[in-house]
Amino acid sequence: MQIAALRFRFGGMFARAPFWLCAGAMLALTSTITPTIAQKAYGPGVSDTEIKIGTTTPFSGPASAYSAGAVSATAYFQMINEQGGVNGRKINYVALDDAYSPPKTVEQTRKLIESEEVLFIVNPVGTAPNLAVLKYVNQKGVPDLFIGTGATIFNDPEHYPWTLSWTPHYASEGEIYARYILATKPDARIGILSQNDDLGRDYLLGFRRGLGDKASKMIVSSLT
């Protein structure tokens, strides 16, 4: 996967770095910024005492199980703060409930950026929710890191340089499933039932790609 270089917004000055680590490593990277860069005229989300970051997640609704990530992150950042924070700054982690509803994600993401003024967004959950705010966060130039979806549309540094995907891509997963079937059931007749959205289409694309020239013969039915 191609990794885009993103830019932190510190006091009008920009430091470029590849983001390929987890959220904890992200904060470790923040701690290495030199005093020359970390001057008094800080950018959004940063002060002498605080680093404010945010996320959207479904604390409520049918996908609320996915909020476990934000719950765990809250505990992790609390531990970091109890140990003194990052270079003396405490981590203010703002996690807002979007109920896995794209319109709610738009509302809550705007709140994070325009009202809370977070430095960056980390691990927002869901394909449809993230797709609803993809253009907005990139227009705002806010780092949108390790997003909780494997849809291939989010791996596009040319058009969306501020967004970095994290989970394995659904197309790659589909391809793995197809290879397994070829290895274990080479004469299988396959029926596919997939979601009628970007997630489902990515799985189907990868699955067909994994079957190669046998796809048309082995797949006898495909419905959404």
Side-chain angles (χ1 to χ4, degrees), residues 153-223:
I153 189 173
F154 299 106
N155 184 34
D156 187 356
E158 179 180 355
H159 297 99
Y160 306 114
W162 295 93
T163 295
L164 180 66
S165 59
W166 175 55
T167 57
H169 291 156
Y170 302 136
S172 298
E173 290 187 40
E175 192 168 348
I176 291 170
Y177 299 148
R179 291 176 183 172
Y180 178 78
I181 290 176
L182 287 176
T184 60
K185 299 287 184 178
D187 297 323
R189 289 163 55 84
I190 302 170
I192 298 175
L193 182 63
S194 61
Q195 291 182 202
N196 188 22
D197 59 12
D198 287 307
L199 183 151
R201 284 186 285 272
D202 271 358
Y203 269 116
L204 185 56
L205 173 67
F207 191 78
R208 288 184 178 277
R209 187 169 62 201
L211 292 178
D213 57 7
K214 295 183 178 180
S216 59
K217 179 180 179 181
M218 296 181 72
I219 300 175
V220 296
S221 181
S222 179
L223 301 173

Side-chain angles (χ1 to χ4, degrees), residues 4 12 14 35 60 71 81 97 113 141 175 181:
F14 296 93
S60 62
V71 172
N81 289 338
D97 181 20
I113 293 175
E175 192 168 348
I181 290 176

Side-chain angles (χ1 to χ4, degrees), residues 98-109 127-133:
D98 67 357
Y100 211 82
S101 169
K104 189 68 172 178
T105 306
V106 172
E107 175 187 339
Q108 298 291 51
T109 302
T127 298
N130 275 290
L131 191 59
V133 297

Side-chain angles (χ1 to χ4, degrees), residues 46-92:
V46 183
S47 70
D48 286 334
T49 59
E50 178 182 88
I51 300 172
K52 183 184 286 189
I53 63 179
T55 195
T56 57
T57 197
F59 286 112
S60 62
S64 59
Y66 288 112
S67 66
V71 172
S72 300
T74 299
Y76 176 79
F77 293 131
Q78 181 179 345
M79 179 192 70
I80 294 295
N81 289 338
E82 290 172 352
Q83 295 176 357
V86 178
N87 276 352
R89 294 181 174 92
K90 298 299 177 68
I91 306 304
N92 184 351

